[in-house]
Amino acid sequence: MSAPAPHEAEFVPISEQLLLRSERARAGDRWSPVQLGLLLGIVLLAIGLRLWNLEQWSLSAAEAATWRAATSPLAGPGGFLASDDSCQPLCHLLLRWLLDVGALPFHGEGWLRLPFACAGVLTVPLVAVVAERPIGRRAALLAAALLAVHPWHVAQSQSASGEVAALFFAVLGAGMVAAPLDTGRRRGAIGAGCCVLLAAGCDASGWGAGLALALGAQLGHAPPVRRRRLPAVAAAGLLVAAAVLLGSGFASGPARSPFELVAGWVAAGRPSVWLAAAVACLLPLRRDARGAAAWLAIAAAAPLALGLLAGCLGAAVAAADGLLAVVPLCCLAAVAALAWFDKVVEALGGARGWVLPGALAGLCIGADLAVDTGLRAAVHGGGRPDWRGARDAVLRAAGTERLAVIAGRGIDCLTYYLRPNHHRDPSTDAHPGVALAPLGEGLAGAAAPLGPGARFAVLARDELLRCEADPADRAVLQAGRAVAVLPSSAAPDRDTLYVIALGGG
């Protein structure tokens, strides 16, 4: 029998590679200059994507709530400590401190989002370091690269809301769970618990990190797996975490159906990543590698299951609350892409020169993520309604007259643009020439108490259709005139805005 060619002898299946690289990571194998250069390039890509057009997008409803929490007084009946936002105070208090010391200007969406963009950037190299233990350094670098271009993570990094900061602490907690392999279980458990509290202090969805890490501890690498206890631990953890969520301000806002939540999570996570993650869970890996894949699958499923349960119990869960699943999904997708690479190389006789066919799966996933990120930035306007354009249209049409605006779900965003000092001192009116009124039950009832001056309505498409269906509201609309229509390419049926000058002012 002839001796194998050198390139054939170098081939190692993906299951062996995951085990080998995980052992090297535990042994403290140093990063090579090439690997450090790749990580630096990934971090620079993450920085560029998260700072690109950071100041261009209009404020979202979640960002307007963050602004209100950061600028309203701490004490008092309408203060921050009396609001639901005080249940997740860390991001709001940090932003308040940065504004008070002058580190951030009070005006400008980009400055408001900058701390959250920094948290998103820091998460990318942290994933490469933490994921090295369970899946190996090469897969960890690929997972970090996928996260750097993932449109869901980029979008949340460019939003002044706490989900991206909660994800950072959740990944840090996962690193603490892996640390007991070398430094002792008690110290790692304490560190992971502190990270869970920090994640929950940034956003209520951070409690899902505690559930994921607790279940991951049941699948720890050092002790034997006790599978028959896992369903009971998962059920008890879900109920406890859901009870904590319902008491932590998560129940405010409009609720969404479970089907709508699942569809939003699939779309946000990208179907290509979900498919690759499912393939990774079905790969015939060795027992050690299977344990890592199972841990990642639980880390992805636990926060989503918690969100579904909380939604069924009455909490208002948004699609962004499932962001904790994006990191384990990227890790599993990286494992699947490397498995495809090794299968192709094996089919081609182990020749490492066939890099492009082997890398095809990873390139397709990365291209899908990069295209969606580019469309969001260049075409879809950040995926949010153009409330800033509505402000400009109202100010142009009003001229120097006293201004009154009726708005539906955009009233908090328009408050930021038209009355930026509205929340700082409730005892005084810092903007006496500008009044805002909620749409409430109908346009006619909201317009009746408004005083003299230029009166406008800023309505989303679904709100306009609801007003047109009511005879009294339709009469108010017919007496006015259209000032501007601000289309939305991302969600035209929901986020297209109509600016209407009302008569009788």
Side-chain angles (χ1 to χ4, degrees):
M1 185 174 60
S2 60
H7 60 268
E8 293 176 346
E10 293 175 1
F11 175 75
V12 181
I14 183 64
S15 60
E16 300 283 351
Q17 290 183 27
L18 289 177
L19 178 61
L20 202 59
R21 294 192 175 96
S22 181
E23 291 174 349
R24 288 176 180 173
R26 295 191 189 103
D29 188 24
R30 293 186 177 181
W31 289 58
S32 68
V34 174
Q35 292 169 339
L36 289 174
L38 286 174
L39 182 59
L40 177 61
I42 292 170
V43 172
L44 292 177
L45 176 63
I47 293 174
L49 289 177
R50 282 149 186 78
L51 295 183
W52 185 28
N53 288 338
L54 184 66
E55 76 288 353
Q56 294 298 318
W57 322 129
S58 294
L59 214 69
S60 66
E63 291 177 308
T66 300
W67 173 256
R68 181 183 64 246
T71 57
S72 59
L74 282 175
F80 171 71
L81 297 178
S83 66
D84 290 340
D85 296 320
S86 62
C87 297
Q88 302 91 38
L90 290 185
C91 290
H92 302 133
L93 293 178
L94 175 62
L95 192 61
R96 176 188 297 268
W97 177 75
L98 292 174
L99 292 171
D100 289 342
V101 301
L104 293 177
F106 273 95
H107 299 286
E109 299 91 327
W111 292 110
L112 183 65
R113 296 165 182 154
L114 186 59
F116 303 89
C118 292
V121 169
L122 292 175
T123 307
V124 173
L126 185 62
V127 167
V129 174
V130 171
E132 180 188 6
R133 290 178 180 271
I135 64 175
R137 189 169 297 168
R138 188 175 63 154
L141 283 171
L142 181 56
L146 294 178
L147 184 67
V149 299
H150 202 294
W152 196 6
H153 193 254
V154 173
Q156 290 306 124
S157 299
Q158 292 186 326
S159 179
S161 54
E163 293 88 358
V164 70
L167 177 62
F168 170 80
F169 288 113
V171 176
L172 187 60
M176 296 292 181
V177 169
L181 296 170
D182 301 327
T183 61
R185 296 183 62 188
R186 180 175 297 180
R187 185 182 302 178
I190 293 174
C194 293
C195 289
V196 169
L197 293 178
L198 290 172
C202 293
D203 187 76
S205 63
W207 291 111
L211 177 62
L213 295 180
L215 296 178
Q218 295 294 311
L219 289 174
H221 300 288
V225 178
R226 300 175 180 177
R227 295 186 182 277
R228 61 180 177 272
R229 292 187 179 183
L230 191 59
V233 173
L238 276 173
L239 291 176
V240 171
V244 172
L245 283 180
L246 292 176
S248 64
F250 211 161
S252 59
R256 303 180 68 175
S257 68
F259 298 103
E260 188 179 3
L261 277 176
V262 171
W265 286 333
V266 172
R270 299 303 300 160
S272 62
V273 176
W274 281 100
L275 179 61
V279 169
C281 294
L282 299 176
L283 288 175
L285 303 177
R286 288 177 55 130
R287 182 175 180 179
D288 304 72
R290 278 203 309 270
W295 190 13
L296 291 170
I298 288 177
L304 302 184
L306 177 60
L308 285 177
L309 178 60
C312 293
L313 294 177
V317 183
D321 294 317
L323 184 67
L324 293 179
V326 72
V327 168
L329 286 176
C330 287
C331 291
L332 288 171
V335 171
L338 289 180
W340 167 266
F341 180 87
D342 287 330
K343 289 295 183 182
V344 171
V345 172
E346 182 184 20
L348 296 174
R352 292 294 182 182
W354 296 90
V355 174
L356 185 59
L360 189 60
L363 290 175
C364 288
I365 297 173
D368 175 49
L369 299 179
V371 167
D372 195 61
T373 298
L375 288 175
R376 175 186 172 276
V379 177
H380 297 323
R384 58 191 72 190
D386 189 9
W387 301 112
R388 184 166 55 187
R391 174 207 58 185
D392 296 339
V394 165
L395 292 179
R396 283 196 302 267
T400 58
E401 292 187 71
R402 184 184 182 276
L403 178 63
V405 178
I406 301 170
R409 60 174 176 268
I411 188 166
D412 289 335
C413 301
L414 291 175
T415 299
Y416 170 82
Y417 286 116
L418 293 172
R419 297 176 56 88
N421 297 301
H422 177 81
H423 304 292
R424 294 183 190 171
D425 187 3
S427 62
T428 61
D429 187 359
H431 307 277
V434 179
L436 288 171
L439 179 61
E441 296 298 325
L443 188 60
L450 294 179
R455 303 194 296 177
F456 298 87
V458 179
L459 306 175
R461 181 175 178 81
D462 56 334
E463 295 169 342
L464 178 65
L465 294 177
R466 178 163 59 89
C467 291
E468 289 179 340
D470 184 87
D473 291 346
R474 185 167 59 249
V476 174
L477 291 174
Q478 291 174 347
R481 61 182 179 86
V483 172
V485 177
L486 306 171
S488 168
S489 59
D493 292 339
R494 173 179 171 83
D495 291 342
T496 297
L497 300 183
Y498 297 84
V499 182
I500 302 167
L502 304 178

